[in-house]
Structure formats: C-alpha cells, structure tokens
Amino acid sequence: MKKSYRIKKEKEFQKIIYHKDSYANRNFVVYILPAEENTHFRVGLSVGKKIGNAVARNKVKRLMRTSLYDLRDSIKPSYNIVLIARPKVVDLSLDEVKNNIEHVFKLANIIE
C-alpha cells in the first residue's frame, strides 16, 4: 500500500483508539475515526508480541496488508482505521484473514 494510506505515528494511533469506536470478531479488533481532510482511508496495523516471534508477526502483517489491498475498492473513504490482530490469526490462511477482516469491517459499517 502507498505511504499516503498508512498510519505510522503513535499520536495518530492513540487518537483513533481514544475515540473508542471499536468493533471486533475472534481474530481482529478495528478502531475507526472519521477523517477530517483525507479523501481516502488510512490504516494502521498492530500485531502484538502475543502473536509470536518476529517472523510470525511479519507474516501476519503481510497477510493483513494483502487483504486490505484486495478490499481497498470497497472500503469507504475518509476513515482512519487501526486494525489489531489477535493471537489466533497465526494459524489462518490468506483467504481466512481476508474474510475475517471483511467481516469486522462490515460490523464497523466501513465497507460499501
């Protein structure tokens, strides 16, 4: 994903999480905040150490990025999103990760 679609700064993560508009399923938690000036969505990924070692965490992040890339056309613009992975994500395939992310985005009403 392009840099303009990423959230990297800790202050931005905290602002979105502090807003407390969250939705979850068994494998992911999503926090959303309507953006003020963006014309497209921005997303920050979080994969904690409970997931496993660095190799496992990076694999999960790659799966999450690929899934978001596939879903990018259906995600509503002008949202800031923080997507947090839960520990059971390690055992999932790409299709299962994509389906879980799509499910949690539907719960959050950010997929058209």
Side-chain angles (χ1 to χ4, degrees), residues 1-2 7 9 19 46 52-53 71 75 77 79 93 95 98 106 109:
M1 290 179 34
K2 295 180 181 180
I7 296 174
K9 295 181 181 176
H19 185 64
S46 178
N53 60 8
L71 294 171
I75 298 174
Y79 274 103
S93 68
D95 290 332
K98 183 179 174 183
K106 284 180 182 175
N109 199 22

Side-chain angles (χ1 to χ4, degrees), residues 41-93:
F41 71 93
R42 293 174 60 219
V43 67
L45 304 177
S46 178
V47 181
K49 288 189 176 182
K50 289 182 180 181
I51 301 292
N53 60 8
V55 175
R57 292 193 304 269
N58 286 328
K59 178 187 173 195
V60 170
K61 283 189 267 187
R62 282 194 309 273
L63 293 174
M64 290 166 68
R65 277 190 217 106
T66 304
S67 300
L68 288 168
Y69 187 79
D70 293 343
L71 294 171
R72 72 185 183 279
D73 294 331
S74 61
I75 298 174
K76 291 181 182 177
S78 70
Y79 274 103
N80 290 330
I81 304 163
V82 173
L83 185 62
I84 301 171
R86 289 186 168 170
K88 294 191 178 193
V89 173
V90 175
D91 302 327
L92 301 180
S93 68

